[in-house]
Amino acid sequence: GENVEQHPSTLSVQEGDSAVIKCTYSDSASNYFPWYKQELGKGPQLIIDIRSNVGEKKDQRIAVTLNKTAKHFSLHITETQPEDSAVYFCAAPGYSSASKIIFGSGTRLSIRP
Amino acid sequence: DVKVTQSSRYLVKRTGEKVFLECVQDMDHENMFWYRQDPGLGLRLIYFSYDVKMKEKGDIPEGYSVSREKKERFSLILESASTNQTSMYLCASIQFGGSAYNSPLHFGNGTRLTVT
């Protein structure tokens, strides 16, 4: 069945360094790939998304890359800051059924001062 | 900005009580969802609704029911709360884009329910 695998589950980086989180999906029909950030005590919030007609999208220190052939997409955070500490989720929605909005298992990112 | 509001941030209930979790969204979204979030298990879909009075089961509907009498409001009901329903509950809404989900989910800030 459809699946989204997210790695790593935890990630600790030095402030100022880069962080990369990767997701692999199985449903080739997926064409929209969002990344959500969940801060402590809050619900997940969209931070960046990409559609299947582009390979990369950037928004300041955050970027997402998509490889449709390999069925994976990655979140890149450069020049990490303490406020980047959070749990990050990827998702790969499918077609015509809410049960096909499949989330990755989450990555807890910690930024070391 | 879309706002999804969950009526309670924290709830403490006793085993056997009937519990109502309320969610309201202000952007006229057709689709609304209830997820449960537990450590190590990620986000699991309990129920969703694609229109008023319409609902479908998600991955873990046992022990739950839902109500959607108005488009903006989606309620999750625990008929008889049990300790294994202690969890974080997240409501979300989305603007369905035709044949596919190609826009983001908008989440509320969650209700942390403790059943004792």
Side-chain angles (χ1 to χ4, degrees), chain A residues 55-84:
Chain A
E56 184 176 7
K57 182 178 177 181
K58 286 184 180 179
D59 183 3
Q60 299 182 332
R61 297 186 297 108
I62 295 172
V64 54
T65 58
L66 172 64
N67 184 326
K68 281 218 79 178
T69 303
K71 294 184 186 175
H72 65 73
F73 57 111
S74 300
L75 176 70
H76 304 256
I77 306 174
T78 59
E79 301 173 21
T80 53
Q81 299 172 4
E83 55 264 34
D84 295 328

Side-chain angles (χ1 to χ4, degrees), chain A:
Chain A
E2 291 120 6
N3 192 34
V4 174
E5 294 189 4
Q6 182 174 343
H7 297 282
S9 57
T10 60
L11 180 61
S12 178
V13 302
Q14 194 75 31
E15 183 177 350
D17 288 350
S18 296
V20 181
I21 304 169
K22 183 176 176 179
C23 280
T24 304
Y25 62 97
S26 59
D27 184 1
S28 57
S30 296
N31 63 2
Y32 174 71
F33 306 92
W35 282 95
Y36 297 90
K37 175 184 181 182
Q38 186 176 22
E39 297 176 330
L40 197 62
K42 296 185 178 181
Q45 301 294 313
L46 177 78
I47 54 169
I48 196 166
D49 55 11
I50 192 168
R51 301 180 194 279
S52 59
N53 57 346
V54 298
E56 184 176 7
K57 182 178 177 181
K58 286 184 180 179
D59 183 3
Q60 299 182 332
R61 297 186 297 108
I62 295 172
V64 54
T65 58
L66 172 64
N67 184 326
K68 281 218 79 178
T69 303
K71 294 184 186 175
H72 65 73
F73 57 111
S74 300
L75 176 70
H76 304 256
I77 306 174
T78 59
E79 301 173 21
T80 53
Q81 299 172 4
E83 55 264 34
D84 295 328
S85 293
V87 178
Y88 293 82
F89 292 95
C90 63
Y95 277 85
S96 303
S97 170
S99 65
K100 292 190 177 183
I101 300 178
I102 302 170
F103 288 90
S105 53
T107 297
R108 183 172 297 279
L109 174 63
S110 301
I111 308 301
R112 303 191 304 272

Side-chain angles (χ1 to χ4, degrees), chain A residues 105 108, chain B residues 36-44 86-88 112:
Chain A
S105 53
R108 183 172 297 279
Chain B
R36 174 175 170 162
Q37 184 176 29
D38 299 288
L41 297 177
L43 291 159
R44 294 183 290 168
T86 291
S87 187
M88 168 71 91
R112 186 165 293 281

